[in-house]
Amino acid sequence: MPRQDGKVVIVTGGGKGIGYEVAGHMAKLGAHFIIGCRDDHQGLEAIRRIQEEYNEAKVEFKYLDLASLQSIHPFVHNFKNCELPLKILVNNAGVMLLPESSTENGFELHFGVNYLGHFLLTWLLLDTLKFTSKSGNFSRLVNVSSSAHRNGQVQWNGLKSRECFSAHGAYCHGKLAQLFFRSYLQHKLEQSGFPVSLCAVDPGMVDTCLYRHLWTPLCLAHILVSRLLFKTPAEGAAPVLFAALSPALEGECGRGYWANGRRDVTTPLTFDPHIQQDLWETSQRFLISQ
């Protein structure tokens, strides 16, 4: 990948796993990198390790809890006060297979973190991405997705009522919502003529801490299977880095959904413009009401 000197990048959940690998690689290429995560120790340790490996790395940690809408606003406010351009935003953080629980704003946790928190973060940073793109090539917005979206269901009105809760179903639901958001926002950007490309990347099955909430017998099986079949975090980061940095994906070429390193097609449901708009407007109502 080409050098990224002078480019400012934000990644959510960059304290470990795929996010950490993305941060380390971009820092090596000269990018000014900002890691946003909710674990202070983990975030600062990630900074220390990256700077230890790359002496000239420009890496910062800023506290960001996507389960708290009230945490996202000061994160964005502090970033904008620095008056930095924003060339790349990587929405990487996520939770999976958690027991039934809610964000502090009352939303189901998978939906709140994986989708709604990133919706708000992206919306608040969009003007900076647009402004940065005016001074050069396209700015890029990369959402880390999952093939699990194919099992998701459209049920925006029931987000706070979780009868017959399924952790796997909740994860699929959030990932599906994320793809509706990507499609609708990309359409709005194209209509407005803003040079910001937005893509979703499925990194495949990666051996990260996302699986730590598996039922105990499955957790033991996962330990054995993951060593044989799962990608390492560095391997999982490769398609994310490709989407964020590759010159071949400049402009319109960088849009869409990518899986296993190649362009793919999401479930047909995600192409429905009425559902896209319904989710967009519903999400805005949720955020306004907080």
Side-chain angles (χ1 to χ4, degrees):
M1 294 297 166
R3 294 286 301 177
Q4 301 295 312
D5 300 285
K7 294 184 179 180
V8 179
V9 184
I10 293 176
V11 63
T12 63
K16 55 186 175 181
I18 290 176
Y20 171 78
E21 297 293 339
V22 169
H25 195 85
M26 286 199 183
K28 185 178 180 180
L29 292 174
H32 180 164
F33 214 89
I34 298 171
I35 291 175
C37 71
R38 63 185 178 88
D39 188 319
D40 290 351
H41 174 75
Q42 190 181 96
L44 293 172
E45 177 63 16
I47 298 297
R48 185 194 67 77
R49 289 169 58 195
I50 293 172
Q51 291 179 331
E52 189 176 78
E53 189 170 356
Y54 315 118
N55 292 331
E56 299 181 0
K58 299 176 182 178
V59 191
E60 299 179 54
F61 162 74
K62 293 185 182 294
Y63 179 79
L64 173 65
D65 183 3
L66 290 166
S68 167
L69 300 180
Q70 285 68 33
S71 165
I72 298 170
H73 284 279
F75 174 87
V76 173
H77 179 73
N78 291 337
F79 172 76
K80 289 187 174 182
N81 277 347
C82 297
E83 297 185 345
L84 293 171
L86 178 60
K87 194 64 176 178
I88 304 169
L89 172 61
V90 181
N91 290 326
N92 161 76
V95 295
M96 185 173 74
L97 303 179
L98 291 171
E100 183 176 2
S101 52
S102 302
T103 68
E104 67 176 39
N105 302 96
F107 299 102
E108 191 283 316
L109 193 58
H110 295 84
F111 185 87
V113 172
N114 296 347
Y115 167 67
L116 198 58
H118 279 127
F119 177 99
L120 178 59
L121 178 67
T122 301
W123 184 250
L124 295 176
L125 289 172
L126 195 57
D127 59 341
T128 310
L129 282 166
K130 291 177 181 177
F131 180 79
T132 304
S133 67
K134 293 179 181 178
S135 60
N137 296 329
F138 275 57
S139 296
R140 300 195 191 187
L141 174 56
V142 180
N143 289 338
V144 177
S145 185
S146 170
S147 60
H149 80 272
R150 303 184 189 281
N151 297 317
Q153 296 181 358
V154 177
Q155 48 182 19
W156 318 138
N157 293 329
L159 298 177
K160 294 193 177 185
S161 61
R162 298 177 298 280
E163 298 177 4
C164 303
F165 177 78
S166 162
H168 179 259
Y171 176 74
C172 297
H173 178 61
K175 287 299 181 181
L176 177 62
Q178 191 182 57
L179 286 171
F180 278 118
F181 167 60
R182 189 215 69 80
S183 297
Y184 190 77
L185 178 57
Q186 186 66 75
H187 179 65
K188 288 177 70 70
L189 290 170
E190 290 172 3
Q191 282 186 322
S192 304
F194 288 110
V196 179
S197 62
L198 200 169
C199 73
V201 178
D202 174 12
M205 299 186 72
V206 183
D207 188 17
T208 67
C209 62
L210 278 180
Y211 294 91
R212 68 184 182 275
H213 295 288
L214 283 170
W215 185 45
T216 302
L218 291 177
C219 192
L220 296 174
H222 167 260
I223 293 173
L224 298 174
V225 173
S226 63
R227 293 175 182 173
L228 297 173
L229 302 178
F230 282 30
K231 297 178 182 178
T232 65
E235 291 170 334
V240 179
L241 287 163
F242 177 71
L245 303 178
S246 175
L249 299 187
E250 178 62 21
E252 295 181 5
C253 297
R255 296 167 180 168
Y257 177 74
W258 297 79
N260 298 315
R262 64 188 66 182
R263 195 181 295 276
D264 202 351
V265 179
T266 58
T267 178
L269 195 63
T270 60
F271 295 99
D272 189 317
H274 300 293
I275 302 178
Q276 292 174 12
Q277 184 172 357
D278 181 46
L279 174 61
W280 180 275
E281 294 174 351
T282 299
S283 301
Q284 287 186 320
R285 287 197 300 270
F286 283 148
L287 297 175
I288 291 173
S289 66
Q290 299 303 315

